[in-house]
Amino acid sequence: MSRGGCHSLARITHGRRPRTAESLAWLLGWSHRLTRRLRRCPGLRILTYHGVCADEVADEAWLPPHFVTRSRFMRQMQILAELGHIAHLPDVANTLRNDQPPGEPRFAITFDDGHACTLHHALPILGSYGVKATFCVATGHIDSGEWFVSDRLRVLGTLPGSVKAGMPPQLQGFLDSPGRSKHVPHDELKCLVEDSWGLAVNWRGSRLAEALRPASWGEIVALHQSGHEIAAHTVSHVILSRETRRRREAEIVNSIRKVREKTSRCDTFAYPNGGPGDFDEQDIEVLRREGVAYALTTTSGYCTRPLDAYRLPRTSVGLGHDEPVFTLEMSGWLDKRRRRQQRGDWA
Ligand SMILES: [Zn+2]
């Protein structure tokens, strides 16, 4: 590498020791290989966001790792607009379903769960690019305003050790390794979390509310009226494969019907957690019966023809996506690695 190259690399990494992915992204960007790679793979890449939060809370330990800050989201939209075209998911999915190529590299934006902070921080940015997005909402949380169990579990995990020592041993186990909680039925975990939630409120106060509260139906209906798509994401945000057959069917059907009651339509569903082991053919059959046209996973990749409409891949974006990693991710370079990681989570 030339002297100039080293200086440039130091500049983009702000003097930090560059991570391998950062260095690779810089080298590829330098040689324009990212752009060439994108041109070879024209198609649709659907992005999964969750919360978009204020920059001021970026370093808070309780912030979910799948959130992004407002400034980073703004830069990511700018990068997408430079790389291709940001399309509205229903439009471009219908194009693919009719077996027509979508043309230039295209991206579609989705937000899962329905946190109110996303509306506050992301909507003005989407508006400045003329972008319409798909918001996948867990309808029970929109009904009740109750915070997501996974968010509350993370908040409890950031409390001082002396406070955590007073919690049930089973809950402490989940706080030490939150990944284990995904293997437990939703209601069992919720009971455990609720019993100790008062401790979090006492210690952390109300600072969390701006970032973690779910949106209201008034806010969601306003989104729909301004042209964004509202999709279903179950009622209680259960991982379907962890529940009884009867429960998973009710979670799917009731969330779709609630979205239709509020917005008059619901053509898209997003599987919570969204990995290959999180749903099955019987769930897809329920979606077909309910007249849903598309279902979204969290398996990274491009949507290609022929379109597998009930297993649309999506690429998750979170706090770890600084500019070089985000650019690399959009090029498809990390897809295989992401799929390997997802399979590893289930091993
Ligand atoms: Zn979700």
Side-chain angles (χ1 to χ4, degrees):
M1 184 184 292
S2 72
R3 221 177 135 74
C6 288
H7 280 304
S8 301
L9 185 56
R11 198 166 56 243
I12 69 160
T13 57
H14 305 294
R16 286 177 286 116
R17 188 167 174 269
R19 296 200 304 270
T20 306
E22 286 179 324
S23 309
L24 188 56
W26 180 82
L27 285 167
L28 293 170
W30 185 259
S31 63
H32 303 292
R33 282 177 63 189
L34 280 180
T35 314
R36 288 212 301 273
R37 185 184 169 94
L38 271 161
R39 287 202 184 116
R40 278 204 309 274
C41 310
L44 169 66
R45 180 173 294 277
I46 308 173
L47 281 72
T48 314
Y49 285 95
H50 288 80
V52 178
C53 62
D55 289 8
E56 292 72 31
V57 296
D59 295 325
E60 294 286 359
W62 47 259
L63 191 68
H66 44 268
F67 275 35
V68 298
T69 60
R70 179 194 176 98
S71 60
R72 205 165 254 185
F73 182 73
M74 189 186 306
R75 179 65 187 128
Q76 289 168 355
M77 291 304 103
Q78 192 181 4
I79 291 170
L80 293 184
E82 288 164 4
L83 291 173
H85 175 66
I86 311 175
H88 193 197
L89 177 58
D91 298 339
V92 69
N94 286 337
T95 303
L96 280 164
R97 198 171 206 184
N98 294 329
D99 214 25
Q100 295 163 359
E104 62 178 331
R106 284 179 190 242
F107 305 96
I109 309 297
T110 67
F111 296 93
D112 278 11
D113 299 349
H115 289 92
C117 64
T118 304
L119 280 52
H120 182 68
H121 295 291
L123 282 183
I125 298 166
L126 292 173
S128 68
Y129 285 93
V131 169
K132 299 300 180 193
T134 294
F135 291 81
C136 312
V137 298
T139 56
H141 289 272
I142 309 299
D143 279 340
S144 65
E146 190 173 274
W147 295 11
F148 288 85
V149 172
S150 56
D151 289 347
R152 291 197 279 171
L153 194 64
R154 194 170 300 99
V155 173
L156 288 172
T158 64
L159 294 174
S162 57
V163 180
K164 283 193 275 189
M167 296 178 189
Q170 198 184 355
L171 179 60
Q172 288 181 41
F174 294 138
L175 300 182
D176 293 339
S177 50
R180 282 176 50 206
S181 66
K182 290 186 175 176
H183 299 271
V184 179
H186 175 269
D187 289 354
E188 188 181 321
L189 186 62
K190 186 180 167 187
C191 276
L192 269 175
V193 168
E194 278 183 347
D195 285 346
S196 299
W197 184 236
L199 295 168
V201 176
N202 293 340
W203 274 83
R204 294 284 181 244
S206 58
R207 283 199 67 224
L208 310 164
E210 196 269 336
L212 299 182
R213 84 165 171 90
S216 66
W217 277 116
E219 291 168 313
I220 297 297
V221 169
L223 270 181
H224 164 69
Q225 288 169 344
S226 59
H228 297 280
E229 181 189 24
I230 309 302
H233 191 42
T234 73
V235 174
S236 315
H237 203 264
V238 298
I239 298 176
L240 294 168
S241 60
R242 298 292 167 232
E243 307 297 330
T244 63
R245 191 54 70 180
R246 191 172 173 177
R247 173 75 182 267
R248 54 209 281 181
E249 180 170 342
E251 289 278 342
I252 295 170
V253 170
N254 292 339
S255 65
I256 293 166
R257 292 181 182 173
K258 177 63 96 168
V259 171
R260 285 184 180 146
E261 177 195 321
K262 296 288 184 181
T263 69
S264 78
R265 65 183 307 166
C266 180
D267 301 327
T268 306
F269 179 89
Y271 306 103
N273 216 43
D278 295 324
F279 60 95
D280 65 13
E281 274 300 325
Q282 289 188 54
D283 299 318
I284 292 174
E285 205 41 57
V286 175
L287 293 169
R288 280 202 186 94
R289 203 182 65 215
E290 287 298 309
V292 164
Y294 303 105
L296 307 168
T297 72
T298 56
T299 299
S300 197
Y302 281 101
C303 299
T304 52
R305 294 178 297 157
L307 196 66
D308 189 351
Y310 294 96
R311 288 188 184 81
L312 294 185
R314 289 193 294 171
T315 302
S316 299
V317 184
L319 284 174
H321 284 85
D322 57 15
E323 188 172 327
V325 174
F326 180 79
T327 310
L328 200 59
E329 193 92 68
M330 293 306 106
S331 76
W333 208 280
L334 298 176
D335 285 347
K336 277 186 186 168
R337 181 196 288 190
R338 300 299 182 213
R339 290 196 287 267
R340 263 201 317 274
Q341 286 170 340
Q342 197 175 43
R343 283 197 299 273
D345 287 345
W346 279 97

